[in-house]
């Protein structure tokens, strides 16, 4: 796990691409707007979803994200896929026969709806995550006028996640070097005590850091080191994705 | 598989329902932020960050519930115990927002639904139970452990029932409501037991070493261990 330096997260792909260089706030808006357009599209407009897929895969290619990386990370969806595959079997209403299976038409459409909207949403989030380090996401949310309390807690959350992971590794090494490696249910007490002391140790480190920040003039908001928000050109290029998707959706609506 | 989604995905519920709950969650979150800002002092600011980080980190460890189904901590009760209900709901919401953006766990359009269930309902149910149980049970570490455990189990099940209500309002599929309710409650009872154990273990350790950090004990501290009910006699025993 590499949550330490630069507060990257496990899904960040360090590349040099035009998408990586876009300011975070325009990427967040573009990604969310694209997902909203996908989700509100009627499930019978099959061709529209093909266009959406081409659009987001085009952005992924621009960001130099390998298709295999996207496919393996999209497996996060598996529980919903299982749920979706059950629908045609258990659904009611009109039925069709396919390969000897009697399937419900309503169930098939329901499964398609969940699969395609879920998958496109996951891919859209993955493109955002792969091109934006966690710290930049917080900066983006701040520039989008997210309340200061939320930004403050989210900033601490990212910093303390690294502290927690490091502290947990230290405690594990200490435990192993004393010849103790609890792995059975009846040894759960040791693990439970470990969780509690992990929390306390991390808090006390975090508290020291926080007091040090206060004494250096921290007032609840990190100083802005950047030169300000995104330019009009950057907004325009990032919003190409949701605007193109919205045009597809509008066409589908007029035809439907 | 290192990480499975259990947060509601895009497209599971219809548009009026997710838009409606997005509005509900946004309004409730504004109220929580305003009330929470009053609570946020020098002790709670780092604590709120750590609680969010802890929930975030522990959510990466999924524990098996049934074959093929794994669950993870929701965290509402832990947050309510350590930073109070308002900041607690804010902490859990932040975890959900960051997970939707950074891990693609839970759909962006389903954020309102997920925040309503896990951050608002889960934390509120947990906090109400904590407030009630701490009044009834003896003010000892055992009482606190029982409170944490029971409040966690109930809060997880309430969060699951939130989804059942949302599904009844606007499910995009025609799986029977009874089936959804039975599956959700069954799975989440098991998750709740795991969550209850983690929450109780964490809070009891914190209360033993740094009772000043437990928000739920601020007004009425626990009786010192070994001397039930006699807080004033500590001075006779010397330094702790």
């Amino acid at each position: 796990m590499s949550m330490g330096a630069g507060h990257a997260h496990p899904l960040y792909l360090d590349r040099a691409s035009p998408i990586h260089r876009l300011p975070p706030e325009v990427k967040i808006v573009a990604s969310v707007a694209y997902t909203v357009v996908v989700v509100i599209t009627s499930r019978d407009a099959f061709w529209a979803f093909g266009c959406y897929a081409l659009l987001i895969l085009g952005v992924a290619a621009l960001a130099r994200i390998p298709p295999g990386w996207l496919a393996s990370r999209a497996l996060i969806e598996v529980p919903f896929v299982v749920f979706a595959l059950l629908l045609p079997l258990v659904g009611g209403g009109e039925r069709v026969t396919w390969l000897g299976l009697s399937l419900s038409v309503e169930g098939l459409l329901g499964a398609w709806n969940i699969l395609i909207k879920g998958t496109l949403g996951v891919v859209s989030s993955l493109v955002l995550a792969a091109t934006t380090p966690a710290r930049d996401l917080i900066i983006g949310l701040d520039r989008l006028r997210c309340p200061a309390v939320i930004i403050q807690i989210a900033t601490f959350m990212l910093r303390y996640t690294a502290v927690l992971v490091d502290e947990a590794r230290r405690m594990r090494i200490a435990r192993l070097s004393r010849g103790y490696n609890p792995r059975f249910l009846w040894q759960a007490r040791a693990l439970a005590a470990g969780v509690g002391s992990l929390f306390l140790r991390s808090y006390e480190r975090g508290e020291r850091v926080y007091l040090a920040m206060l004494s250096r003039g921290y007032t609840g908001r990190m100083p802005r080191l950047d030169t300000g928000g995104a330019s009009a050109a950057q907004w325009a290029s990032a919003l190409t994705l949701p605007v193109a998707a919205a045009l597809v959706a509008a066409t589908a609506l007029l035809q439907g | 598989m290192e990480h499975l989604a259990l947060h509601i995905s895009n497209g599971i519920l219809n548009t009026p329902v997710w838009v409606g709950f997005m509005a509900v969650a946004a309004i409730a979150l504004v109220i929580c932020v305003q009330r929470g800002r009053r609570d946020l002092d020098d002790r709670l600011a780092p604590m709120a960050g750590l609680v969010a980080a802890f929930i975030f980190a522990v959510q990466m460890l999924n524990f098996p519930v049934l074959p093929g189904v794994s669950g993870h901590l929701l965290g509402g009760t832990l947050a309510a115990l350590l930073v109070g209900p308002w900041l607690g709901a804010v902490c859990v919401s932040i975890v959900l927002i960051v997970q939707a953006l950074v891990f693609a766990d839970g759909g962006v359009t389903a954020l309102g639904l997920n925040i309503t269930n896990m951050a608002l309902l889960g934390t509120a149910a947990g906090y109400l139970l904590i407030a009630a149980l701490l009044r009834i049970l003896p003010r000892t570490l055992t009482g606190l452990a029982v409170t944490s455990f029971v409040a966690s189990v109930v809060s997880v099940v309430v969060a699951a029932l939130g989804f059942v209500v949302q599904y009844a309002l606007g499910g995009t599929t025609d799986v029977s409501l009874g089936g959804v309710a039975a599956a959700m409650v069954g799975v989440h009872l098991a998750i709740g037991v795991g969550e209850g154990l983690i929450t109780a273990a964490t809070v009891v350790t914190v209360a033993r070493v740094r009772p000043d950090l437990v928000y739920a004990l601020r007004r009425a501290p626990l009786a010192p261990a070994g001397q039930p009910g006699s807080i004033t006699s500590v001075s006779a025993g010397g330094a702790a």
Side-chain angles (χ1 to χ4, degrees):
Chain A
M1 180 156 298
S2 60
M3 304 271 312
H7 300 288
H9 52 78
L11 291 185
Y12 180 67
L13 279 181
D14 197 9
R15 299 282 152 86
S17 85
I19 310 290
H20 282 74
R21 280 192 293 274
L22 280 175
E25 68 271 27
V26 306
K27 282 190 273 188
I28 295 173
V29 171
S31 170
V32 171
Y34 167 85
T35 307
V36 168
V37 171
V38 170
V39 171
I40 61 178
T41 304
S42 164
R43 64 186 186 185
D44 331 307
F46 299 109
W47 64 271
F49 292 101
C51 297
Y52 296 150
L54 287 178
L55 282 171
I56 196 70
L57 291 177
V59 175
L62 259 180
R64 299 177 48 205
I65 302 171
W69 184 92
L70 271 183
S72 67
R73 296 317 185 285
L75 286 178
I76 188 170
E77 265 232 301
V78 161
F80 291 102
V81 175
V82 173
F83 177 63
L85 290 180
L86 288 175
L87 289 175
L89 301 173
V90 301
E94 191 190 335
R95 301 185 84 82
V96 289
T97 310
W98 178 72
L99 292 180
L101 285 171
S102 167
L103 301 174
S104 144
V105 174
E106 178 57 32
L108 280 172
L109 280 173
W112 155 256
N113 186 53
I114 288 175
L115 279 183
I116 191 68
K117 292 179 179 176
T119 308
L120 290 174
V122 164
V123 172
S124 160
S125 292
L126 283 174
V127 171
L128 174 65
T131 58
T132 320
R135 187 201 52 219
D136 287 5
L137 274 178
I138 308 277
I139 293 176
L141 290 174
D142 189 25
R143 289 191 193 145
L144 293 171
R145 311 270 153 77
C146 208
V149 173
I150 291 189
I151 297 300
Q152 186 184 5
I153 297 179
T155 310
F156 281 133
M157 180 181 98
L158 287 178
R159 278 150 215 271
Y160 289 164
T161 304
V163 171
L164 272 171
V165 170
D166 285 351
E167 204 69 60
R169 194 174 52 227
R170 262 179 232 119
M171 287 174 62
R172 194 180 109 82
I173 292 170
R175 205 177 57 230
L176 290 178
S177 64
R178 285 161 180 78
Y180 189 54
N181 187 14
R183 61 176 79 181
F184 301 108
L185 196 57
W186 56 90
Q187 291 172 319
R189 200 184 154 78
L191 280 181
V195 168
S197 54
L198 169 66
F199 189 91
L200 265 179
R201 287 169 64 139
S202 307
Y203 177 79
E204 292 188 338
R205 275 181 61 126
E207 188 183 36
R208 283 199 298 279
V209 172
Y210 180 74
L211 294 176
M213 286 165 72
L214 283 184
S215 70
R216 284 161 180 77
Y218 177 73
T219 54
R221 185 162 197 175
M222 295 304 280
R224 288 194 176 182
L225 300 173
D226 51 349
T227 49
S231 68
Q234 287 170 323
W235 276 108
S237 57
L239 292 183
T240 312
L241 170 72
V243 168
L247 287 177
V248 172
T251 315
L253 200 64
L254 289 176
Q255 286 192 340
Chain B
M1 194 120 345
E2 58 174 47
H3 194 252
L4 286 175
L6 272 184
H7 301 167
I8 305 170
S9 161
N10 291 310
I12 297 274
L13 296 171
N14 67 21
T15 304
V17 168
W18 72 253
V19 171
F21 275 96
M22 195 69 95
V24 169
I27 293 168
L29 207 53
V30 167
I31 297 171
C32 289
V33 163
Q34 280 170 352
R35 300 293 298 265
R37 197 180 287 139
R38 276 180 240 160
D39 283 345
L40 202 65
D41 58 15
D42 285 356
R43 205 175 287 155
L44 273 190
M47 184 51 112
L50 180 66
V51 166
F54 193 74
I55 296 170
F56 188 68
V58 178
Q59 285 203 352
M60 293 184 201
L61 313 169
N62 284 282
F63 42 90
V65 176
L66 292 170
V69 179
S70 67
H72 61 60
L73 194 82
L74 271 63
T77 307
L78 180 73
L81 276 161
L82 292 174
V83 296
W86 309 108
L87 278 179
V90 174
C91 287
V92 181
S93 303
I94 291 171
V95 172
L96 294 172
I97 293 169
V98 171
Q99 282 186 329
L101 290 178
V102 174
F103 289 108
D105 185 0
V108 170
T109 61
L111 257 179
L113 306 162
N114 282 316
I115 287 179
T116 304
N117 295 342
M118 291 186 262
L120 303 175
L121 286 177
T123 310
Y127 191 75
L128 290 177
L129 264 174
I130 293 164
L133 287 177
L134 279 181
R135 224 158 265 161
I136 302 167
L137 293 172
R139 304 198 67 83
T140 59
L141 284 175
T142 316
L144 182 64
V146 173
T147 301
S148 311
F149 182 80
V150 174
S152 299
V153 175
V154 175
S155 111
V156 171
V157 172
V158 167
L161 288 173
F163 173 76
V164 175
V165 170
Q166 289 162 355
Y167 185 85
L169 288 173
T172 56
T173 59
D174 57 356
V175 175
S176 77
L177 192 62
V180 170
M184 284 298 284
V185 170
V187 167
H188 285 81
L189 263 180
I191 292 178
V193 170
E195 163 133 8
L197 294 175
I198 295 177
T199 306
T202 308
V203 172
V204 165
T205 313
V206 176
R208 187 180 285 145
V209 184
R210 291 279 304 267
D212 58 312
L213 297 180
V214 184
Y215 183 96
L217 300 178
R218 280 191 168 184
R219 294 219 183 100
L222 296 181
Q227 304 171 332
S230 59
I231 295 170
T232 47
S233 66
V234 172
S235 56

